[in-house]
């Protein structure tokens, strides 16, 4: 008969850092992190503007992006996702698929300088349409099927410029299959698609829309992005996109949707990405700047929570900060 009192002594392994390390279940690896960047089409080669609602994040000229990438790669950044801010917008989002558009030029320049860096491009029309919606609008309605062709043209132009992966974020139905077919028939069958398959209609995108100048001029995105109360619908979105050829399934936002990440990870055998979106970044920054929260601790806790939920990769505006800290020798908490 044992002498102890018969209860679980969880504190045994919490006594020292070495013990805690020994039983640690979840890790954040440098290779898990993707940093988003906003690039501006401008004549001003030195353009750089901090995004007011996202302190520490910038709208950048191509040249400034390249300077930042150099530093970021030195601390271990391996993947980026690019968002473009075009000089002109119109009803048909024509600068989204212009071969000399902001993303196409940026991708060419970045890949030329950093061939090994994984360059992912966000494929959507909202930054390029005059009305700010993610598709073609007629009589106040966002049309699904006519939008597919423009999305596929956009994706193809990104890949032709050298993008390593495309990430459609528009939430039109059927776009993954459409884009896959267009890429394949142009000889790009090896370029993967990361689908924003499970993208909720979220208030957390507010700061991004300021950053990317992409807020809808009328209405909202409720007719195409998912309704937050639904989780079984997330499975339908994910399975539809996998059937159409998606290579990675993304859940977005992350923090309020950890259950969805966990569920998708359990049900499907594709890699799962989670996007810690702009509003999640801004909340932490705002609280930290007032001294209400410890930024490093909260960033670590949210990112490890996203991994614990099941994400294989995380898109986060904190990525480079985290990598800098990981590589500083101070360790990562
Ligand atoms: C484009 C797009 C958005 C985000 C990524 N791609 C904005 C939106 O859907 O309104 C949001 C990213 C973020 O908030 O950080 N459709």
């Amino acid at each position: 008969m044992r002498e102890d009192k018969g209860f679980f002594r969880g504190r045994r392994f919490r006594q020292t850092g070495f013990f805690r390390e020994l039983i640690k279940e979840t890790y954040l690896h440098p290779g898990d992190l993707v940093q988003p960047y906003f690039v501006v089409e401008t004549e001003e080669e030195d353009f750089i503007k901090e995004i007011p609602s996202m302190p520490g994040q910038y709208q950048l000229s191509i040249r400034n992006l390249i300077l930042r990438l150099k530093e970021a790669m030195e601390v271990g950044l391996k993947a980026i996702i690019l968002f473009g801010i075009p000089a002109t917008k119109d009803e048909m989002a024509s600068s989204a698929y212009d071969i000399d558009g902001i993303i196409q030029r940026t991708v060419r320049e970045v890949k030329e300088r950093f061939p090994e860096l994984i360059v992912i491009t966000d494929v959507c029309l909202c930054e390029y349409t005059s009305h700010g919606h993610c598709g073609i609008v007629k009589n106040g309605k966002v049309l699904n099927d006519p939008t597919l062709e423009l999305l596929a043209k956009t994706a193809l132009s990104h890949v032709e410029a050298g993008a390593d992966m495309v990430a459609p974020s528009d939430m039109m139905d059927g776009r993954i299959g459409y884009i896959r077919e267009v890429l394949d028939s142009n000889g790009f069958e090896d370029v993967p698609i990361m689908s924003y398959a499970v993208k909720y209609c979220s208030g957390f995108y507010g700061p991004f829309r300021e950053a990317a100048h992409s807020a809808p001029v009328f209405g909202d995105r409720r007719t195409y992005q998912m309704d937050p109360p639904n989780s079984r619908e997330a499975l339908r979105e994910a399975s539809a996109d996998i059937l159409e050829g998606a290579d990675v399934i993304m859940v977005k936002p992350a923090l309020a949707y950890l259950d969805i990440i966990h569920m998708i990870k359990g049900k499907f055998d594709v890699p799962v990405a989670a996007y810690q979106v702009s509003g999640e970044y801004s909340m932490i920054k705002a609280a930290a700047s007032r001294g209400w929260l410890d930024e490093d601790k909260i960033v670590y806790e949210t990112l490890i929570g996203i991994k614990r939920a099941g994400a294989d990769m995380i898109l986060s505006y904190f990525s480079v900060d985290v990598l800098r800290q990981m590589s500083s020798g101070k360790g990562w908490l």
Side-chain angles (χ1 to χ4, degrees), residues 27 32 261-262 265 271-275 303 305-314:
Y27 289 86
D32 299 333
I261 297 171
H262 188 70
K265 180 61 174 253
V272 178
Y275 199 145
L303 293 178
I306 295 165
K307 285 229 58 189
R308 200 182 58 241
D312 297 292
M313 64 192 92
I314 305 175

mmCIF file with all atom_site columns, all heavy atoms in Angstrom, residues 27 32 261-262 265 271-275 303 305-314:
data_model
loop_
_atom_site.group_PDB
_atom_site.id
_atom_site.type_symbol
_atom_site.label_atom_id
_atom_site.label_alt_id
_atom_site.label_comp_id
_atom_site.label_asym_id
_atom_site.label_entity_id
_atom_site.label_seq_id
_atom_site.pdbx_PDB_ins_code
_atom_site.Cartn_x
_atom_site.Cartn_y
_atom_site.Cartn_z
_atom_site.occupancy
_atom_site.B_iso_or_equiv
_atom_site.pdbx_formal_charge
_atom_site.auth_seq_id
_atom_site.auth_comp_id
_atom_site.auth_asym_id
_atom_site.auth_atom_id
_atom_site.pdbx_PDB_model_num
ATOM 1   N N   . TYR A 1 27  ? 5.010   22.590 -29.073 1.00 0.00 ? 27  TYR A N   1
ATOM 2   C CA  . TYR A 1 27  ? 6.134   23.480 -29.401 1.00 0.00 ? 27  TYR A CA  1
ATOM 3   C C   . TYR A 1 27  ? 5.754   24.443 -30.506 1.00 0.00 ? 27  TYR A C   1
ATOM 4   O O   . TYR A 1 27  ? 4.953   24.132 -31.374 1.00 0.00 ? 27  TYR A O   1
ATOM 5   C CB  . TYR A 1 27  ? 7.338   22.659 -29.875 1.00 0.00 ? 27  TYR A CB  1
ATOM 6   C CG  . TYR A 1 27  ? 7.987   21.885 -28.771 1.00 0.00 ? 27  TYR A CG  1
ATOM 7   C CD1 . TYR A 1 27  ? 7.511   20.626 -28.427 1.00 0.00 ? 27  TYR A CD1 1
ATOM 8   C CD2 . TYR A 1 27  ? 9.054   22.416 -28.064 1.00 0.00 ? 27  TYR A CD2 1
ATOM 9   C CE1 . TYR A 1 27  ? 8.088   19.910 -27.393 1.00 0.00 ? 27  TYR A CE1 1
ATOM 10  C CE2 . TYR A 1 27  ? 9.644   21.710 -27.034 1.00 0.00 ? 27  TYR A CE2 1
ATOM 11  C CZ  . TYR A 1 27  ? 9.158   20.455 -26.703 1.00 0.00 ? 27  TYR A CZ  1
ATOM 12  O OH  . TYR A 1 27  ? 9.738   19.761 -25.683 1.00 0.00 ? 27  TYR A OH  1
ATOM 13  N N   . ASP A 1 32  ? 7.099   27.314 -38.343 1.00 0.00 ? 32  ASP A N   1
ATOM 14  C CA  . ASP A 1 32  ? 5.621   27.326 -38.318 1.00 0.00 ? 32  ASP A CA  1
ATOM 15  C C   . ASP A 1 32  ? 5.050   28.689 -38.678 1.00 0.00 ? 32  ASP A C   1
ATOM 16  O O   . ASP A 1 32  ? 3.847   28.818 -38.879 1.00 0.00 ? 32  ASP A O   1
ATOM 17  C CB  . ASP A 1 32  ? 5.093   27.046 -36.896 1.00 0.00 ? 32  ASP A CB  1
ATOM 18  C CG  . ASP A 1 32  ? 5.509   25.701 -36.353 1.00 0.00 ? 32  ASP A CG  1
ATOM 19  O OD1 . ASP A 1 32  ? 5.751   24.793 -37.159 1.00 0.00 ? 32  ASP A OD1 1
ATOM 20  O OD2 . ASP A 1 32  ? 5.577   25.563 -35.110 1.00 0.00 ? 32  ASP A OD2 1
ATOM 21  N N   . ILE A 1 261 ? -10.413 25.018 -35.295 1.00 0.00 ? 261 ILE A N   1
ATOM 22  C CA  . ILE A 1 261 ? -9.087  24.509 -35.675 1.00 0.00 ? 261 ILE A CA  1
ATOM 23  C C   . ILE A 1 261 ? -8.959  23.060 -35.215 1.00 0.00 ? 261 ILE A C   1
ATOM 24  O O   . ILE A 1 261 ? -8.556  22.168 -35.974 1.00 0.00 ? 261 ILE A O   1
ATOM 25  C CB  . ILE A 1 261 ? -7.957  25.360 -35.022 1.00 0.00 ? 261 ILE A CB  1
ATOM 26  C CG1 . ILE A 1 261 ? -8.012  26.805 -35.524 1.00 0.00 ? 261 ILE A CG1 1
ATOM 27  C CG2 . ILE A 1 261 ? -6.578  24.738 -35.273 1.00 0.00 ? 261 ILE A CG2 1
ATOM 28  C CD1 . ILE A 1 261 ? -7.075  27.764 -34.782 1.00 0.00 ? 261 ILE A CD1 1
ATOM 29  N N   . HIS A 1 262 ? -9.339  22.824 -33.970 1.00 0.00 ? 262 HIS A N   1
ATOM 30  C CA  . HIS A 1 262 ? -9.226  21.486 -33.384 1.00 0.00 ? 262 HIS A CA  1
ATOM 31  C C   . HIS A 1 262 ? -10.067 20.471 -34.165 1.00 0.00 ? 262 HIS A C   1
ATOM 32  O O   . HIS A 1 262 ? -9.616  19.363 -34.466 1.00 0.00 ? 262 HIS A O   1
ATOM 33  C CB  . HIS A 1 262 ? -9.691  21.551 -31.930 1.00 0.00 ? 262 HIS A CB  1
ATOM 34  C CG  . HIS A 1 262 ? -9.437  20.295 -31.176 1.00 0.00 ? 262 HIS A CG  1
ATOM 35  N ND1 . HIS A 1 262 ? -8.172  19.892 -30.837 1.00 0.00 ? 262 HIS A ND1 1
ATOM 36  C CD2 . HIS A 1 262 ? -10.274 19.330 -30.719 1.00 0.00 ? 262 HIS A CD2 1
ATOM 37  C CE1 . HIS A 1 262 ? -8.246  18.738 -30.194 1.00 0.00 ? 262 HIS A CE1 1
ATOM 38  N NE2 . HIS A 1 262 ? -9.504  18.380 -30.115 1.00 0.00 ? 262 HIS A NE2 1
ATOM 39  N N   . LYS A 1 265 ? -8.605  19.785 -37.681 1.00 0.00 ? 265 LYS A N   1
ATOM 40  C CA  . LYS A 1 265 ? -7.409  18.958 -37.563 1.00 0.00 ? 265 LYS A CA  1
ATOM 41  C C   . LYS A 1 265 ? -7.783  17.486 -37.345 1.00 0.00 ? 265 LYS A C   1
ATOM 42  O O   . LYS A 1 265 ? -7.175  16.585 -37.907 1.00 0.00 ? 265 LYS A O   1
ATOM 43  C CB  . LYS A 1 265 ? -6.553  19.471 -36.400 1.00 0.00 ? 265 LYS A CB  1
ATOM 44  C CG  . LYS A 1 265 ? -5.277  18.719 -36.141 1.00 0.00 ? 265 LYS A CG  1
ATOM 45  C CD  . LYS A 1 265 ? -4.359  18.782 -37.352 1.00 0.00 ? 265 LYS A CD  1
ATOM 46  C CE  . LYS A 1 265 ? -3.028  18.144 -37.014 1.00 0.00 ? 265 LYS A CE  1
ATOM 47  N NZ  . LYS A 1 265 ? -1.980  19.100 -36.856 1.00 0.00 ? 265 LYS A NZ  1
ATOM 48  N N   . PRO A 1 271 ? -2.732  19.634 -44.052 1.00 0.00 ? 271 PRO A N   1
ATOM 49  C CA  . PRO A 1 271 ? -2.167  20.611 -43.112 1.00 0.00 ? 271 PRO A CA  1
ATOM 50  C C   . PRO A 1 271 ? -3.181  21.719 -42.804 1.00 0.00 ? 271 PRO A C   1
ATOM 51  O O   . PRO A 1 271 ? -3.942  22.133 -43.674 1.00 0.00 ? 271 PRO A O   1
ATOM 52  C CB  . PRO A 1 271 ? -0.963  21.180 -43.872 1.00 0.00 ? 271 PRO A CB  1
ATOM 53  C CG  . PRO A 1 271 ? -0.645  20.174 -44.929 1.00 0.00 ? 271 PRO A CG  1
ATOM 54  C CD  . PRO A 1 271 ? -1.942  19.513 -45.291 1.00 0.00 ? 271 PRO A CD  1
ATOM 55  N N   . VAL A 1 272 ? -3.149  22.156 -41.554 1.00 0.00 ? 272 VAL A N   1
ATOM 56  C CA  . VAL A 1 272 ? -4.091  23.191 -41.113 1.00 0.00 ? 272 VAL A CA  1
ATOM 57  C C   . VAL A 1 272 ? -3.323  24.473 -40.776 1.00 0.00 ? 272 VAL A C   1
ATOM 58  O O   . VAL A 1 272 ? -2.324  24.439 -40.051 1.00 0.00 ? 272 VAL A O   1
ATOM 59  C CB  . VAL A 1 272 ? -4.875  22.722 -39.861 1.00 0.00 ? 272 VAL A CB  1
ATOM 60  C CG1 . VAL A 1 272 ? -5.819  23.817 -39.369 1.00 0.00 ? 272 VAL A CG1 1
ATOM 61  C CG2 . VAL A 1 272 ? -5.645  21.440 -40.164 1.00 0.00 ? 272 VAL A CG2 1
ATOM 62  N N   . ALA A 1 273 ? -3.814  25.565 -41.323 1.00 0.00 ? 273 ALA A N   1
ATOM 63  C CA  . ALA A 1 273 ? -3.227  26.880 -41.001 1.00 0.00 ? 273 ALA A CA  1
ATOM 64  C C   . ALA A 1 273 ? -4.227  27.676 -40.177 1.00 0.00 ? 273 ALA A C   1
ATOM 65  O O   . ALA A 1 273 ? -5.436  27.501 -40.323 1.00 0.00 ? 273 ALA A O   1
ATOM 66  C CB  . ALA A 1 273 ? -2.906  27.633 -42.291 1.00 0.00 ? 273 ALA A CB  1
ATOM 67  N N   . ALA A 1 274 ? -3.705  28.533 -39.311 1.00 0.00 ? 274 ALA A N   1
ATOM 68  C CA  . ALA A 1 274 ? -4.578  29.439 -38.566 1.00 0.00 ? 274 ALA A CA  1
ATOM 69  C C   . ALA A 1 274 ? -4.049  30.852 -38.748 1.00 0.00 ? 274 ALA A C   1
ATOM 70  O O   . ALA A 1 274 ? -2.833  31.055 -38.770 1.00 0.00 ? 274 ALA A O   1
ATOM 71  C CB  . ALA A 1 274 ? -4.597  29.070 -37.093 1.00 0.00 ? 274 ALA A CB  1
ATOM 72  N N   . TYR A 1 275 ? -4.963  31.788 -38.898 1.00 0.00 ? 275 TYR A N   1
ATOM 73  C CA  . TYR A 1 275 ? -4.560  33.181 -39.081 1.00 0.00 ? 275 TYR A CA  1
ATOM 74  C C   . TYR A 1 275 ? -4.919  33.971 -37.824 1.00 0.00 ? 275 TYR A C   1
ATOM 75  O O   . TYR A 1 275 ? -6.091  34.147 -37.513 1.00 0.00 ? 275 TYR A O   1
ATOM 76  C CB  . TYR A 1 275 ? -5.282  33.764 -40.306 1.00 0.00 ? 275 TYR A CB  1
ATOM 77  C CG  . TYR A 1 275 ? -4.676  35.019 -40.905 1.00 0.00 ? 275 TYR A CG  1
ATOM 78  C CD1 . TYR A 1 275 ? -4.713  35.232 -42.282 1.00 0.00 ? 275 TYR A CD1 1
ATOM 79  C CD2 . TYR A 1 275 ? -4.082  36.000 -40.118 1.00 0.00 ? 275 TYR A CD2 1
ATOM 80  C CE1 . TYR A 1 275 ? -4.168  36.386 -42.854 1.00 0.00 ? 275 TYR A CE1 1
ATOM 81  C CE2 . TYR A 1 275 ? -3.535  37.148 -40.677 1.00 0.00 ? 275 TYR A CE2 1
ATOM 82  C CZ  . TYR A 1 275 ? -3.586  37.339 -42.040 1.00 0.00 ? 275 TYR A CZ  1
ATOM 83  O OH  . TYR A 1 275 ? -3.061  38.480 -42.595 1.00 0.00 ? 275 TYR A OH  1
ATOM 84  N N   . LEU A 1 303 ? -0.143  32.050 -29.273 1.00 0.00 ? 303 LEU A N   1
ATOM 85  C CA  . LEU A 1 303 ? 0.412   31.230 -30.359 1.00 0.00 ? 303 LEU A CA  1
ATOM 86  C C   . LEU A 1 303 ? 0.494   29.759 -29.961 1.00 0.00 ? 303 LEU A C   1
ATOM 87  O O   . LEU A 1 303 ? 0.155   28.873 -30.759 1.00 0.00 ? 303 LEU A O   1
ATOM 88  C CB  . LEU A 1 303 ? 1.793   31.747 -30.785 1.00 0.00 ? 303 LEU A CB  1
ATOM 89  C CG  . LEU A 1 303 ? 1.804   33.130 -31.452 1.00 0.00 ? 303 LEU A CG  1
ATOM 90  C CD1 . LEU A 1 303 ? 3.231   33.545 -31.784 1.00 0.00 ? 303 LEU A CD1 1
ATOM 91  C CD2 . LEU A 1 303 ? 0.956   33.163 -32.715 1.00 0.00 ? 303 LEU A CD2 1
ATOM 92  N N   . GLY A 1 305 ? -1.383  28.321 -27.859 1.00 0.00 ? 305 GLY A N   1
ATOM 93  C CA  . GLY A 1 305 ? -2.780  27.863 -27.808 1.00 0.00 ? 305 GLY A CA  1
ATOM 94  C C   . GLY A 1 305 ? -3.283  27.478 -29.190 1.00 0.00 ? 305 GLY A C   1
ATOM 95  O O   . GLY A 1 305 ? -3.993  26.485 -29.364 1.00 0.00 ? 305 GLY A O   1
ATOM 96  N N   . ILE A 1 306 ? -2.885  28.263 -30.183 1.00 0.00 ? 306 ILE A N   1
ATOM 97  C CA  . ILE A 1 306 ? -3.299  27.986 -31.564 1.00 0.00 ? 306 ILE A CA  1
ATOM 98  C C   . ILE A 1 306 ? -2.650  26.682 -32.044 1.00 0.00 ? 306 ILE A C   1
ATOM 99  O O   . ILE A 1 306 ? -3.285  25.852 -32.698 1.00 0.00 ? 306 ILE A O   1
ATOM 100 C CB  . ILE A 1 306 ? -2.931  29.179 -32.487 1.00 0.00 ? 306 ILE A CB  1
ATOM 101 C CG1 . ILE A 1 306 ? -3.741  30.422 -32.094 1.00 0.00 ? 306 ILE A CG1 1
ATOM 102 C CG2 . ILE A 1 306 ? -3.154  28.838 -33.949 1.00 0.00 ? 306 ILE A CG2 1
ATOM 103 C CD1 . ILE A 1 306 ? -3.223  31.732 -32.683 1.00 0.00 ? 306 ILE A CD1 1
ATOM 104 N N   . LYS A 1 307 ? -1.392  26.470 -31.658 1.00 0.00 ? 307 LYS A N   1
ATOM 105 C CA  . LYS A 1 307 ? -0.729  25.215 -32.023 1.00 0.00 ? 307 LYS A CA  1
ATOM 106 C C   . LYS A 1 307 ? -1.356  24.039 -31.290 1.00 0.00 ? 307 LYS A C   1
ATOM 107 O O   . LYS A 1 307 ? -1.586  22.976 -31.864 1.00 0.00 ? 307 LYS A O   1
ATOM 108 C CB  . LYS A 1 307 ? 0.771   25.288 -31.708 1.00 0.00 ? 307 LYS A CB  1
ATOM 109 C CG  . LYS A 1 307 ? 1.512   26.124 -32.696 1.00 0.00 ? 307 LYS A CG  1
ATOM 110 C CD  . LYS A 1 307 ? 2.757   25.475 -33.254 1.00 0.00 ? 307 LYS A CD  1
ATOM 111 C CE  . LYS A 1 307 ? 2.585   24.160 -33.959 1.00 0.00 ? 307 LYS A CE  1
ATOM 112 N NZ  . LYS A 1 307 ? 3.910   23.566 -34.251 1.00 0.00 ? 307 LYS A NZ  1
ATOM 113 N N   . ARG A 1 308 ? -1.609  24.224 -30.005 1.00 0.00 ? 308 ARG A N   1
ATOM 114 C CA  . ARG A 1 308 ? -2.215  23.148 -29.210 1.00 0.00 ? 308 ARG A CA  1
ATOM 115 C C   . ARG A 1 308 ? -3.571  22.743 -29.781 1.00 0.00 ? 308 ARG A C   1
ATOM 116 O O   . ARG A 1 308 ? -3.938  21.581 -29.789 1.00 0.00 ? 308 ARG A O   1
ATOM 117 C CB  . ARG A 1 308 ? -2.360  23.626 -27.756 1.00 0.00 ? 308 ARG A CB  1
ATOM 118 C CG  . ARG A 1 308 ? -2.510  22.514 -26.729 1.00 0.00 ? 308 ARG A CG  1
ATOM 119 C CD  . ARG A 1 308 ? -2.692  23.094 -25.331 1.00 0.00 ? 308 ARG A CD  1
ATOM 120 N NE  . ARG A 1 308 ? -3.855  23.967 -25.278 1.00 0.00 ? 308 ARG A NE  1
ATOM 121 C CZ  . ARG A 1 308 ? -3.833  25.263 -24.978 1.00 0.00 ? 308 ARG A CZ  1
ATOM 122 N NH1 . ARG A 1 308 ? -2.719  25.878 -24.649 1.00 0.00 ? 308 ARG A NH1 1
ATOM 123 N NH2 . ARG A 1 308 ? -4.949  25.970 -24.980 1.00 0.00 ? 308 ARG A NH2 1
ATOM 124 N N   . ALA A 1 309 ? -4.298  23.737 -30.306 1.00 0.00 ? 309 ALA A N   1
ATOM 125 C CA  . ALA A 1 309 ? -5.599  23.445 -30.908 1.00 0.00 ? 309 ALA A CA  1
ATOM 126 C C   . ALA A 1 309 ? -5.435  22.585 -32.164 1.00 0.00 ? 309 ALA A C   1
ATOM 127 O O   . ALA A 1 309 ? -6.368  21.898 -32.569 1.00 0.00 ? 309 ALA A O   1
ATOM 128 C CB  . ALA A 1 309 ? -6.307  24.743 -31.245 1.00 0.00 ? 309 ALA A CB  1
ATOM 129 N N   . GLY A 1 310 ? -4.245  22.638 -32.794 1.00 0.00 ? 310 GLY A N   1
ATOM 130 C CA  . GLY A 1 310 ? -4.019  21.764 -33.941 1.00 0.00 ? 310 GLY A CA  1
ATOM 131 C C   . GLY A 1 310 ? -3.423  22.416 -35.172 1.00 0.00 ? 310 GLY A C   1
ATOM 132 O O   . GLY A 1 310 ? -3.236  21.756 -36.194 1.00 0.00 ? 310 GLY A O   1
ATOM 133 N N   . ALA A 1 311 ? -3.121  23.710 -35.119 1.00 0.00 ? 311 ALA A N   1
ATOM 134 C CA  . ALA A 1 311 ? -2.587  24.362 -36.317 1.00 0.00 ? 311 ALA A CA  1
ATOM 135 C C   . ALA A 1 311 ? -1.172  23.865 -36.623 1.00 0.00 ? 311 ALA A C   1
ATOM 136 O O   . ALA A 1 311 ? -0.348  23.717 -35.719 1.00 0.00 ? 311 ALA A O   1
ATOM 137 C CB  . ALA A 1 311 ? -2.569  25.878 -36.127 1.00 0.00 ? 311 ALA A CB  1
ATOM 138 N N   . ASP A 1 312 ? -0.909  23.587 -37.885 1.00 0.00 ? 312 ASP A N   1
ATOM 139 C CA  . ASP A 1 312 ? 0.447   23.213 -38.313 1.00 0.00 ? 312 ASP A CA  1
ATOM 140 C C   . ASP A 1 312 ? 1.269   24.452 -38.617 1.00 0.00 ? 312 ASP A C   1
ATOM 141 O O   . ASP A 1 312 ? 2.489   24.427 -38.535 1.00 0.00 ? 312 ASP A O   1
ATOM 142 C CB  . ASP A 1 312 ? 0.379   22.349 -39.576 1.00 0.00 ? 312 ASP A CB  1
ATOM 143 C CG  . ASP A 1 312 ? -0.350  21.055 -39.315 1.00 0.00 ? 312 ASP A CG  1
ATOM 144 O OD1 . ASP A 1 312 ? 0.203   20.236 -38.560 1.00 0.00 ? 312 ASP A OD1 1
ATOM 145 O OD2 . ASP A 1 312 ? -1.471  20.877 -39.828 1.00 0.00 ? 312 ASP A OD2 1
ATOM 146 N N   . MET A 1 313 ? 0.591   25.505 -39.028 1.00 0.00 ? 313 MET A N   1
ATOM 147 C CA  . MET A 1 313 ? 1.292   26.759 -39.325 1.00 0.00 ? 313 MET A CA  1
ATOM 148 C C   . MET A 1 313 ? 0.415   27.924 -38.882 1.00 0.00 ? 313 MET A C   1
ATOM 149 O O   . MET A 1 313 ? -0.811  27.798 -38.823 1.00 0.00 ? 313 MET A O   1
ATOM 150 C CB  . MET A 1 313 ? 1.621   26.855 -40.813 1.00 0.00 ? 313 MET A CB  1
ATOM 151 C CG  . MET A 1 313 ? 0.421   26.906 -41.699 1.00 0.00 ? 313 MET A CG  1
ATOM 152 S SD  . MET A 1 313 ? 0.831   26.660 -43.449 1.00 0.00 ? 313 MET A SD  1
ATOM 153 C CE  . MET A 1 313 ? 0.625   24.892 -43.625 1.00 0.00 ? 313 MET A CE  1
ATOM 154 N N   . ILE A 1 314 ? 1.067   29.036 -38.556 1.00 0.00 ? 314 ILE A N   1
ATOM 155 C CA  . ILE A 1 314 ? 0.318   30.198 -38.068 1.00 0.00 ? 314 ILE A CA  1
ATOM 156 C C   . ILE A 1 314 ? 0.728   31.436 -38.853 1.00 0.00 ? 314 ILE A C   1
ATOM 157 O O   . ILE A 1 314 ? 1.921   31.727 -39.001 1.00 0.00 ? 314 ILE A O   1
ATOM 158 C CB  . ILE A 1 314 ? 0.586   30.456 -36.567 1.00 0.00 ? 314 ILE A CB  1
ATOM 159 C CG1 . ILE A 1 314 ? 0.280   29.204 -35.733 1.00 0.00 ? 314 ILE A CG1 1
ATOM 160 C CG2 . ILE A 1 314 ? -0.252  31.640 -36.072 1.00 0.00 ? 314 ILE A CG2 1
ATOM 161 C CD1 . ILE A 1 314 ? 0.634   29.344 -34.257 1.00 0.00 ? 314 ILE A CD1 1
#
